[in-house]
Amino acid sequence: MLTRSNFILSSAAFIACGTAAAKGRDMKNPDLKLGVISDIHIRRPEDVKVVQDVLAWYRANRVDGVVVAGDVADYGLTWQMEAFCGAWEEAFPAGKIPATGQKVELVYVTGNHEAEIWKKINRPDLYPDLDELKARVFNLHLEREWPRLFGEPYRPAFVKTIRGYPLFCCNHLDHNGPKATAAVKELYAAHAADIPADRPFFHVQHCHPTGTCGWGAAKRKDALTTFLEGYPNLVCLSGDGHEPLDDPKSIWRGGFTSVNTGTLQHVWGPPRPGETQSVKIRNFPQGLLVRVWPDYVHIERRNFRDNARFDPPWEIAVAQA
């Protein structure tokens, strides 16, 4: 039987001997293969180029789905979302890999930039007419724009299942506050029968669960994190912090596993000698290639700028019943 304790012990064991789990596996043909990115921050039309390049790389690697953990639109404007969707359609027309016809699922959740950053450009010098600005904000017209762009109704929280593996997804509501916590609890209760007991499943949201990975790792866990700790075979995919993927704080192993998804925009590097402020490193796009089996998750960290990997891969072993 899968329990929290044997999952944690199994995960910890693979810090030292994870290659034993990978040995003999066909890395080109896992049960599930996901591309995972976040924090694209399309501000200008030319910002779409990196999205096109990264999606083309995922297409070449024949992923089953691409997870986008928020902050696609830097100012939360609808045209910025349209630019991303154009890049998606170019890479995966009709949601498929053209050469093979293989279906590729898009799993997107909103971030704080879609939800609220538009208020920062509410300036008379940029948009003298507030109504004109509001008409252009994606998050203010979700009931209309989400179906138009993604072909499905907008829901604050939802489940997508790809090749038998469910992904529990929550759009950005209130930075892991009471709205997000209530939405996640309601989603998990409504889909309790879909939660596997003997294989990994995924949770997707924009902000890292408080007290897990990223810059907020030292913070006290909140109600949402405590709730997710009830699911030891859960792997949370989240962004927001722009932490580089070679930072040891980019993965957390506790009651569940929390993973930083990287950013296609800027990363925060270490301070310069004699300074305390982190340095913003631009043009350093990063993301993940996640391979999944019933007893094992292999996470390859990609440096898209140099077409290279950050080694070693992250490895999660899932105890079987």
Side-chain angles (χ1 to χ4, degrees), residues 37 83 176 234 236:
I37 53 177
N176 299 340
L234 180 152
C236 180

Side-chain angles (χ1 to χ4, degrees), residues 39 208 213-215 238-251 259-271 278-282 284-288 301-303 305 310 314:
D39 295 272
H208 302 318
C213 65
W215 307 131
S238 55
D240 184 50
H242 291 246
E243 303 95 348
L245 290 177
D246 58 346
D247 189 310
K249 294 189 296 293
S250 281
I251 186 168
V259 174
N260 169 34
T261 56
T263 168
L264 295 193
Q265 224 257 9
H266 68 271
V267 298
W268 291 108
S278 297
V279 176
K280 184 181 287 188
I281 304 173
R282 298 191 181 276
F284 198 178
Q286 302 177 12
L288 307 174
R301 299 173 283 160
R302 296 298 306 181
N303 163 4
R305 182 189 67 184
F310 295 114
W314 292 330

Side-chain angles (χ1 to χ4, degrees), residues 13 77 81 86 90 147 159 161 164 201 313:
L77 301 177
M81 296 300 305
E90 178 184 307
V159 176
T161 300
F201 73 101

Side-chain angles (χ1 to χ4, degrees), residues 36-51:
V36 184
I37 53 177
S38 184
D39 295 272
I40 299 170
H41 292 282
I42 296 172
R43 180 179 298 188
R44 301 169 295 271
E46 56 266 31
D47 295 335
V48 177
K49 179 64 167 61
V50 66
V51 186

Side-chain angles (χ1 to χ4, degrees), residues 167-241:
L167 294 91
F168 284 68
C169 307
C170 186
N171 283 301
H172 185 83
L173 300 174
D174 59 358
H175 292 276
N176 299 340
K179 290 182 180 179
T181 303
V184 169
K185 287 183 176 180
E186 182 178 340
L187 181 70
Y188 278 58
H191 293 271
D194 300 323
I195 300 175
D198 60 350
R199 59 170 51 198
F201 73 101
F202 297 87
H203 178 95
V204 183
Q205 62 179 51
H206 181 57
C207 299
H208 302 318
T210 307
T212 64
C213 65
W215 307 131
K219 292 183 179 180
R220 180 178 299 178
K221 298 173 188 176
D222 57 18
L224 179 56
T225 302
T226 300
F227 173 77
L228 295 177
E229 285 191 304
Y231 300 92
N233 53 332
L234 180 152
V235 179
C236 180
L237 304 170
S238 55
D240 184 50

